[in-house]
Amino acid sequence: MAGLGRNFNTLWAATTVSNIGDGIAAAAAPLLVASVTDDPVLVGLAVFVQQLPWVLFSLVSGVYVDRLDRRRLIVVVNVLRGLVVGVLALAVWRDAATIPVIYAAGFLLGTCETLGDNASGTLVPMVVKSEDLPRANARMHAVFFAVNQFAAPPLGAALFVVAAALPFGINAATFVLAAVLISTLRGIRQSAPAERRSVRADIGEGMRWLWNHSAIRMLSLALCLMNVTLIAGFSILVLYSRDRLGLNEYGYGVLITASAAGSLVGVTIAPRLQARFSDSLLLRTGLIIETLTHVGLALATTVWVAGPVLIAFGVHSSIFGAVSVTLRQRAVPDELRGRVQSVYMMFAVGGSALGALVGGPIAGWTGITGPFWASAVVMAVLTAAAWRSFGRRFVTSGAVAPIDDGGSRDHACEQAALDR
């Protein structure tokens, strides 16, 4: 980590700790829901409930991320997350974790995420220089994929088998430890907010900035639909792995690390691919790979087919994110980062929430592979529709005209793209 400074090292350590807990809980939570109900609708709704706050509160949260001290905000939110997950762990230990209790915990966590994740997404460009962003983002992506999606999920599944409450207790502890680490950050320069206006006016400024940046606008809309199709299938993956592939809890934990294994490869090769090929080519290729992912999972009947499909998806997903995140960080002015990111995340997580809402019913009506077939069709249509827009001129089409926002600053836009 040499060369990026103490603040980045501290942020990286806090991210590592929180990703350990999140990865453990990511495997344990679906197992908890599946242990309470076999209804695919209720299983899918558990994902939807946690993502619903992004649709309801993301825009307002973005305003306060720009108005408040982001470091302190993250500390407070992480402590609150720890309390919520700690209560859930106690409920599981006392055999009181009913569907309403799980849904309530998920909704509260999702609400905290609209503040904490929006604020966290602004920290990297605040603690490293612009020229160091590619290296810093690569390390952040690497720890996410290595820990959150690769190493921790099998551990979470194993801990759930040993004691169902244990993975949630560990997750609560990691939130608190991450809060302690973030509280030690010093010397972060945050742009002072403009004159205090109404929440509605601040939200409008962030929405106009994104909408007038044609590249980010197109990617945001495409990402929304891509996440609908992705989560429609992945929200019932725990049932798919059990009923379609015949895997037990340990097998499910291993399965969800397959895409993470691919993601680690993707993080390694993304800078080379970006240097050699255009962003337009990488985006178009990503659309094709994502379409084929749904086809492959719909056809798979064993883990020996589903696993490689998820590995390929992981490679694509990490490349998609690595190519775009630095460009977006550089494009958005610091004083607007919270608000623009909140609009961007509303599209992204809103799509995920809708996918979680429809995945269960589709599986109930058409069978466990139904969501994957439906997603393949929708992705094929999206690929055809977005193909021309994602052409060679796409990334350079981000310049915007001045925004008339009643006296606030006008912002010129650089290149930008999607953070998957």
Side-chain angles (χ1 to χ4, degrees):
M1 306 306 295
L4 293 178
R6 175 190 176 279
N7 275 340
F8 177 81
N9 293 342
T10 302
L11 178 60
W12 184 85
T15 302
T16 302
V17 169
S18 61
N19 273 302
I20 291 172
D22 284 347
I24 289 173
L31 294 173
L32 175 63
V33 178
S35 71
V36 177
T37 178
D38 289 328
D39 188 337
V41 175
L42 294 179
V43 173
L45 280 175
V47 179
F48 170 76
V49 167
Q50 185 167 353
Q51 295 175 339
L52 179 60
W54 283 97
V55 180
L56 300 177
F57 310 130
S58 180
L59 296 180
V60 175
S61 296
V63 171
Y64 286 100
V65 167
D66 284 339
R67 288 184 179 183
L68 303 176
D69 184 303
R70 293 165 183 165
R71 179 184 63 86
R72 293 178 181 176
L73 180 62
I74 294 170
V75 170
V76 171
V77 168
N78 275 346
V79 171
L80 292 175
R81 284 168 161 175
L83 290 174
V84 171
V85 180
V87 171
L88 177 61
L90 181 61
V92 174
W93 178 61
R94 296 179 62 87
D95 200 24
T98 61
I99 287 294
V101 170
I102 296 171
Y103 284 3
F107 185 84
L108 291 173
L109 285 173
T111 302
C112 289
E113 286 174 358
T114 66
L115 286 165
D117 289 2
N118 267 334
S120 296
T122 68
L123 282 187
V124 173
M126 293 172 66
V127 300
V128 300
K129 298 177 181 179
S130 178
E131 58 268 26
D132 290 329
L133 280 173
R135 190 156 53 109
N137 284 320
R139 293 180 180 180
M140 286 296 192
H141 277 94
V143 74
F144 172 76
F145 292 122
V147 176
N148 186 294
Q149 297 193 350
F150 187 76
L155 177 59
L159 291 172
F160 184 85
V161 174
V162 173
L166 187 57
F168 302 102
I170 293 174
N171 188 205
T174 59
F175 276 131
V176 175
L177 180 55
V180 172
L181 289 171
I182 293 295
S183 69
T184 66
L185 293 175
R186 294 291 183 270
I188 296 178
R189 296 180 179 178
Q190 180 174 335
S191 297
E195 68 278 6
R196 184 60 58 88
R197 300 174 300 177
S198 67
V199 171
R200 181 177 179 179
D202 279 353
I203 290 174
E205 185 180 14
M207 295 182 71
R208 285 193 298 273
W209 192 97
L210 183 145
W211 194 254
N212 283 281
H213 193 296
S214 59
I216 292 183
R217 180 181 69 239
M218 173 58 67
L219 282 168
S220 298
L221 295 173
L223 176 63
C224 180
L225 192 53
M226 291 168 73
N227 279 354
V228 171
T229 59
L230 180 66
I231 303 302
F234 279 47
S235 65
I236 50 92
L237 191 65
V238 63
L239 300 180
Y240 169 86
S241 68
R242 184 187 68 189
D243 300 340
R244 177 76 170 178
L245 306 181
L247 301 177
N248 58 20
E249 291 87 349
Y250 293 106
Y252 168 71
V254 173
L255 179 67
I256 61 177
T257 66
S259 63
S263 296
L264 288 173
V265 176
V267 167
T268 302
I269 66 176
R272 300 175 186 174
L273 293 177
Q274 189 178 5
R276 183 171 181 180
F277 302 105
S278 69
D279 290 343
S280 296
L281 176 61
L282 295 175
L283 289 170
R284 285 175 166 180
T285 302
L287 291 174
I288 296 172
I289 294 175
E290 189 136 344
T291 303
L292 295 178
T293 295
H294 298 298
V295 175
L297 291 175
L299 294 174
T301 57
T302 71
V303 69
W304 303 110
V305 176
V309 169
L310 289 174
I311 290 173
F313 170 78
V315 174
H316 138 69
S317 182
S318 63
I319 292 172
F320 215 85
V323 165
S324 62
V325 65
T326 299
L327 296 175
R328 184 165 58 88
Q329 288 171 340
R330 287 173 172 167
V332 183
D334 181 66
E335 64 271 20
L336 277 169
R337 281 195 180 118
R339 282 167 285 171
V340 173
Q341 179 159 291
S342 72
V343 180
Y344 176 85
M345 291 297 291
M346 185 184 68
F347 279 106
V349 185
S352 298
L354 181 58
L357 187 63
V358 303
I362 292 175
W365 297 333
T366 64
I368 203 68
T369 61
F372 299 108
W373 285 120
S375 296
V377 172
V378 174
M379 275 302 307
V381 174
L382 174 61
T383 299
W387 194 263
R388 183 175 181 180
S389 297
F390 284 3
R392 292 192 175 187
R393 297 181 59 189
F394 171 74
V395 177
T396 59
S397 64
V400 297
I403 299 173
D404 181 8
D405 58 10
S408 64
R409 294 177 57 192
D410 298 329
H411 303 287
C413 302
E414 301 173 21
Q415 298 176 337
L418 162 69
D419 174 17
R420 188 67 205 272

